[in-house]
Amino acid sequence: MSGTGVPSSWQSVLPYLSESLPSDRSPENPGSSGVQLNLPLELVRQSVQEREHWPIPEEVAQAYGRYRPTPLWRARNFEDAIGSRVPVYVKYEGGNISGSHKLNTALAQAYYYKKAGVRELVTGTGAGQWGTALAAACALFGLGCRVFMVESSLRRKPYRGVLMRMLGAEVLSSPSGLTRVSADHDSGRGNSLSLAIGEAVEYANTHEGTAFCIGSGETYSILHQSIIGIEAREQLAGLDGHVDAVVGAVGAGSNFGGIALPFHCSAASANTRPPMLVGAESTTAPKLTRGVFAYDKTDATGTGPLEAMYTIGSDYPIPDAHSAGLRFHGAAKVISAMRHRGDIEAMAVSQTEALEAGRQLTVSETVLAAPESGHALAAAAKLATRGSDGLRAERGVLVCVSGHGYLDLAAYEQFLNGELEDEAPAEHALMAAVSGLTPAGAPTLLPPRQTVGGPA
């Protein structure tokens, strides 16, 4: 820890994996592959080197010091509200300009891209938290910023767009009609984060001095998020708190990886049993609970390398829902590899169950959680009470509330009015979406288990 209480280094899980990550495969469109060309060398190193500790640059540490360390407390009133058998600890990441954990990697990436000579960063965003975080980081480090935001999310949360514009970013609704990939898109994929990312990739590949930047699935972004779990370990020790389950929401994996993987590292280094690491995902995009471990695209253009991931298929038309940033087709390759080897558990949570858990936290702890975080809270509540499919905490639960829900009140309004219905993918649709993918390991198609509040 530094003198400000902020960790002085990030912690990588790579040295503690039982096997090396599967190698990436050539992209579908190799002639236009430019996703990795502008990647700063330090981010490449952070993705591949089996080095445990990576010093946080001074400029990034100073920026962290404005809002870190973030609070962690025992949520006793929430425990009472859900009838918990064990202590529940909340780690809250919503107290910065982006309203979420996304700023942790946005600041680091903007710093490294600026040093590499990039003038503008472009990205895709679902709920808008990542877009806001990147806009803030670019403003701080003097970079231009362009954000393609999923149309349904921007329509529901227009003030996310306003905030990004206040920070100097150009915001475009995706599909924008301004890129080839959006012009060619299937109308059923208009709510796809994969498409928004694809538009950002195409834009970056065709504009000099511009680089594509992503906030969740890459190994280096998960490394930057390790600051969450590192702080949480220290804070729990200070409270004499003990947990045997750590829970985070999974879109691609940065929030979950950030809170959970440092606990895997410390247990592995001490040769002790780690707590259950439980990823809470949306029933609308159940890659960890119902997907396959296969090589798939990370975006709709197919210009990037194919990565080994748990996926429901990059072309699958994900149903519209208030799961926002969780509505991504695949999980990060680090998260996927650990899931495949049995180091990670998963639960799928419906939007109504997630929003109910968010409501309970609001009433009991006076903290308004984003819908994504509601998924983690619902899973944590399940673990702390009656359990689910053999997963049950016996000592305590740590859950990451990855962001605030002040720009998601329309979702809560629909929930309170009883206007929401849950839609999970049909089995035949999932099978069709992944049928052409190359398996990354032993063939797996997980049954629709470990579902909290979702359709049978």
Side-chain angles (χ1 to χ4, degrees), residues 343-360:
D343 295 325
I344 284 172
E345 305 288 351
M347 291 183 182
V349 177
S350 72
Q351 63 177 345
T352 52
E353 185 78 4
L355 292 170
E356 169 58 19
R359 185 196 68 79
Q360 288 179 316

Side-chain angles (χ1 to χ4, degrees), residues 240-410:
D240 196 25
H242 303 280
V243 301
D244 59 340
V246 179
V247 186
V250 177
S254 68
N255 164 63
F256 171 66
I259 188 70
L261 298 191
F263 286 87
H264 180 86
C265 293
S266 58
S269 65
N271 198 28
T272 59
R273 183 175 181 175
M276 286 186 294
L277 310 180
V278 183
E281 62 184 7
S282 167
T283 54
T284 62
K287 50 265 184 176
L288 293 178
T289 53
R290 298 179 62 189
V292 296
F293 188 47
Y295 282 93
D296 200 2
K297 298 179 290 186
T298 58
D299 66 86
T301 67
T303 58
L306 298 177
E307 295 185 1
M309 66 178 77
Y310 271 96
T311 177
I312 55 173
S314 57
D315 295 326
Y316 181 79
I318 296 172
D320 194 11
H322 288 293
S323 50
L326 306 190
R327 294 174 60 255
F328 188 60
H329 67 277
K333 56 186 175 184
V334 170
I335 303 301
S336 295
M338 294 182 69
R339 170 67 168 157
H340 193 65
R341 294 162 192 161
D343 295 325
I344 284 172
E345 305 288 351
M347 291 183 182
V349 177
S350 72
Q351 63 177 345
T352 52
E353 185 78 4
L355 292 170
E356 169 58 19
R359 185 196 68 79
Q360 288 179 316
L361 189 77
T362 301
V363 172
S364 63
E365 301 289 333
T366 62
V367 172
L368 179 63
E372 297 93 333
S373 301
H375 290 72
L377 288 164
K382 198 76 167 180
L383 291 166
T385 54
R386 62 187 182 276
S388 176
D389 292 311
L391 302 180
R392 177 170 157 156
E394 301 298 340
R395 300 185 67 193
V397 179
L398 169 64
V399 57
C400 185
V401 173
S402 60
H404 71 62
Y406 290 104
L407 295 176
D408 300 286
L409 287 172

Side-chain angles (χ1 to χ4, degrees), residues 87 126 143 193 195 428 451:
L143 295 170
L193 180 55
L195 178 60
H428 67 86
T451 299

Side-chain angles (χ1 to χ4, degrees), residues 199-223:
E199 291 207 73
V201 169
E202 180 180 329
Y203 181 90
N205 288 343
T206 54
H207 290 76
E208 187 177 354
T210 299
F212 170 67
C213 184
I214 194 163
S216 186
E218 297 302 316
T219 304
Y220 53 81
S221 65
I222 294 175
L223 171 71

